[in-house]
Amino acid sequence: MPAGHGLRSRTRDLFARGFRKKGYIPLSTYLKTYRTGQYVDVKVNGAVHKGMPHKFYHGRTGRVWNVTKRAIGVEINKQVGNRIIRKRIQVRVEHVQPSRCEEELKARKVRNDEMKAAANARGEVISTKRQPEGPKPGFMVEGASLETVTPIPYDVVNDLKGGY
Amino acid sequence: MAFIKASKPRAYFKRFQVKYKRRREGKTDYRARIRLINQDKNKYNTPKYRFVVRFTNKDIVAQIISSTISGDLVLASAYSHELPRYGLHVGLTNYAASYCTGLLLARRTLKKLEMDEEYEGNLEATGEDFSVEPGESRRPFRALLDVGLVRTTTGNRVFGALKGALDGGIDVPHSEKRFAGFSKDSKSLDAETHRKYIYGGHVAAYMGTLIEDEPEKYQTHFSEYIKKGIEAEGIEELYKKVHAAIRADPLEKKTAKPEPKQHKRFNLKKLTYEERKNKLIERLNAFNSAAQGDEDSDDE
């Protein structure tokens, strides 16, 4: 029989629940609130069959564009051929988690604002740009002893002894 | 063959998935809980209140609870052990007492939310099905009945508490199918029977039959009633007075409790991260100095 290409094909492991995590899902998933414009991760929960996204979207992150009674509309980028389309899917809240992708950015913004305000008070101008990691600093090698190595002259007789 | 005690292999335990803790304790029905707590996403952070009724052997607990990720928050609570304050000293777990507890809880929450003038509820308990009408300024306070693990049969005491809360002025979506006095044959609620239960009429009737037929059993079974001087005829009057007292002053009274005494510690107090790090540094220093200080290494 030929391979099927149904909606949930090849998802035996992808949609499986974790080891010893089967059954009821923790209630905090239902208590989270989502606002439009927030970033969310799509992670399918195999225990809930309604409102499942297609397997392509498992592991993708997108923005919320719609909030309904039990589900959320998420806008995700998908490459189709030579272009990227902004696809809008409706997903139940059990298959969605709030994303932490902006967390570091927000924290940095707050810190930068504080540093800028402090520098402003002192009257100096600082740059809050992130710098890439540079080369490691130089150091002196400790406990080194010198050993001079010279090549030995080629001895025809000895080297050809094994046969040729 | 020799008898080998059946024992579970190690693999069994390694693969065993425990149920949630409250399920193991047999206290929470998660299937029901999910459905009660789930709030529409387009209502964002609006709390969804549950009207929780639980019975113990000697007490009735009625609470209004909303849920958050950090835990459930109790908005208001009423216990049947508070009913002595309103004049009811005996029969604290019967249908009539659950009605009183539900009524007390409803009046208490409405008073806390300053809605008690607008939503009087049903002043005269007739046993008929009563639903709150929306008032002028605010919509009625809505809660969903959370029964717990109780078997919801007709005439169950949780529905007595439900009736009390409804008559108190809280909006709880319900059907009259499970009130005491609903007849399956005629598919309607007999308000007279329900009213009898609300005012303890079933208890009064039992008292009457026992006095006639088995006076000794009456003495043992209703000993507390006899002590307080409550008789079968006076029960309805008693409950009417309790209802009126509840409506007059529903707010709870905080009793002054003595400070809990400090107990002697039998186990060591856990050290903080800082304390543990310092201890390690001290130990390393002592070790280094004891080793005759050959290594002139820094404190690391």
Side-chain angles (χ1 to χ4, degrees):
Chain A
M1 264 189 70
H5 301 290
L7 194 59
R8 287 183 60 170
S9 75
R10 305 157 198 195
T11 58
R12 177 180 184 170
D13 293 322
L14 190 65
F15 287 178
R17 301 282 279 132
F19 180 59
R20 289 196 303 192
K21 293 217 165 71
K22 296 200 176 32
Y24 278 110
I25 65 184
L27 296 205
S28 50
T29 23
Y30 295 100
L31 291 170
K32 293 206 175 95
T33 55
Y34 297 96
R35 308 210 112 90
T36 330
Q38 191 182 344
Y39 281 97
V40 290
D41 301 333
V42 173
K43 186 170 169 210
V44 171
N45 187 318
V48 179
H49 303 141
K50 291 196 166 177
M52 257 196 203
H54 185 257
K55 66 174 186 280
F56 167 80
Y57 299 103
H58 180 94
R60 309 281 160 172
T61 307
R63 283 178 58 253
V64 178
W65 64 276
N66 185 23
V67 175
T68 61
K69 195 165 143 187
R70 297 270 180 255
I72 292 176
V74 189
E75 202 173 53
I76 297 184
N77 290 337
K78 180 177 188 181
Q79 178 173 7
V80 180
N82 62 342
R83 67 207 190 282
I84 296 184
I85 303 182
R86 294 218 308 257
K87 304 222 43 160
R88 296 186 150 190
I89 56 172
Q90 307 275 15
V91 193
R92 266 202 173 214
V93 296
E94 294 92 328
H95 309 291
V96 152
Q97 293 167 351
S99 181
R100 290 179 61 185
C101 58
E102 281 198 313
E103 191 180 283
E104 188 257 340
L105 174 67
K106 288 198 186 121
R108 201 157 47 85
K109 269 194 202 171
V110 169
R111 253 184 295 123
N112 286 349
D113 289 342
E114 283 173 22
M115 292 209 299
K116 284 205 190 120
N120 218 350
R122 276 175 288 151
E124 36 181 83
V125 179
I126 52 161
S127 161
T128 52
K129 288 183 190 256
R130 291 174 294 177
Q131 294 293 341
E133 239 180 75
K136 284 189 283 207
F139 61 99
M140 296 295 280
V141 177
E142 308 246 325
S145 58
L146 283 184
E147 183 187 326
T148 315
V149 177
T150 49
I152 45 174
Y154 188 62
D155 192 351
V156 181
V157 181
N158 266 343
D159 289 332
L160 289 182
K161 226 189 244 186
Y164 68 102
Chain B
M1 208 162 108
F3 177 74
I4 309 166
K5 189 169 105 175
S7 93
K8 296 192 174 79
R10 212 171 111 80
Y12 169 83
F13 293 107
K14 286 186 137 203
R15 298 199 62 84
F16 187 78
Q17 181 186 338
V18 284
K19 297 187 166 39
Y20 287 159
K21 170 140 160 266
R22 287 215 113 214
R23 169 65 190 86
R24 278 178 274 140
E25 293 172 359
K27 289 184 184 171
T28 306
D29 173 8
Y30 278 99
R31 180 176 190 276
R33 189 176 153 87
I34 287 179
R35 284 156 177 74
L36 280 169
I37 285 177
N38 207 354
Q39 174 69 291
D40 298 354
K41 290 301 147 213
N42 42 10
K43 293 189 184 159
Y44 299 101
N45 276 325
T46 318
K48 198 166 192 178
Y49 295 105
R50 317 179 271 145
F51 169 46
V52 170
V53 186
R54 299 283 187 271
F55 289 87
T56 69
N57 281 340
K58 295 183 200 168
D59 198 3
I60 305 177
V61 182
Q63 295 171 312
I64 303 271
I65 302 182
S66 68
S67 291
T68 55
I69 292 183
S70 15
D72 288 359
L73 296 171
V74 178
L75 183 68
S77 66
Y79 299 84
S80 73
H81 63 66
E82 296 179 44
L83 291 177
R85 197 179 130 211
Y86 298 99
L88 183 67
H89 299 276
V90 282
L92 293 178
T93 52
N94 60 22
Y95 197 96
S98 69
Y99 178 92
C100 296
T101 315
L103 177 66
L104 177 57
L105 176 67
R107 296 314 297 164
R108 201 170 268 179
T109 41
L110 290 177
K111 187 134 192 165
K112 263 195 190 165
L113 299 168
E114 287 157 25
M115 291 208 279
D116 57 335
E117 253 102 77
E118 203 176 332
Y119 290 104
E120 292 279 328
N122 205 3
L123 289 161
E124 170 74 41
T126 52
E128 270 172 14
D129 191 18
F130 169 80
S131 286
V132 183
E133 308 271 301
E136 295 96 42
S137 58
R138 295 167 75 168
R139 283 175 299 150
F141 181 81
R142 173 167 255 233
L144 307 173
L145 179 66
D146 181 345
V147 188
L149 291 154
V150 146
R151 185 77 185 86
T152 50
T153 49
T154 319
N156 196 312
R157 292 171 292 167
V158 297
F159 300 111
L162 171 63
K163 188 82 181 98
L166 289 170
D167 287 352
I170 288 188
D171 178 19
V172 184
H174 66 283
S175 123
E176 52 183 30
K177 186 167 138 188
R178 290 300 177 198
F179 286 137
F182 184 84
S183 129
K184 258 200 325 185
D185 310 316
S186 72
K187 295 246 168 51
S188 69
L189 175 67
D190 180 12
E192 264 309 304
T193 326
H194 197 203
R195 188 187 177 287
K196 206 174 76 133
Y197 272 79
I198 290 174
Y199 284 111
H202 56 306
V203 179
Y206 188 49
M207 278 170 92
T209 48
L210 273 192
I211 288 175
E212 283 181 28
D213 301 335
E214 290 170 78
E216 305 89 36
K217 187 158 175 214
Y218 171 74
Q219 293 295 327
T220 51
H221 199 84
F222 286 100
S223 58
E224 288 290 319
Y225 281 72
I226 297 171
K227 254 192 247 171
K228 293 285 185 328
I230 297 173
E231 293 182 353
E233 297 85 25
I235 282 190
E236 178 163 332
E237 265 305 304
L238 171 67
Y239 281 112
K240 279 215 177 93
K241 281 211 207 93
V242 174
H243 296 164
I246 287 176
R247 280 181 181 273
D249 179 24
L251 287 180
E252 68 248 29
K253 199 186 296 181
K254 273 201 139 20
T255 53
K257 283 192 211 125
E259 274 277 320
K261 60 172 186 151
Q262 291 279 32
H263 290 281
K264 190 172 85 162
R265 267 205 92 91
F266 288 106
N267 53 357
L268 295 171
K269 196 153 185 230
K270 274 175 104 169
L271 301 175
T272 65
Y273 179 65
E274 287 299 318
E275 288 172 0
R276 273 183 273 143
K277 255 197 351 197
N278 291 336
K279 264 188 111 178
L280 179 65
I281 292 174
E282 281 173 39
R283 255 193 16 229
L284 285 174
N285 282 344
F287 181 72
N288 283 336
S289 57
Q292 262 79 127
D294 288 337
E295 322 266 23
D296 200 25
S297 53
D298 22 43
D299 309 334
E300 259 293 302

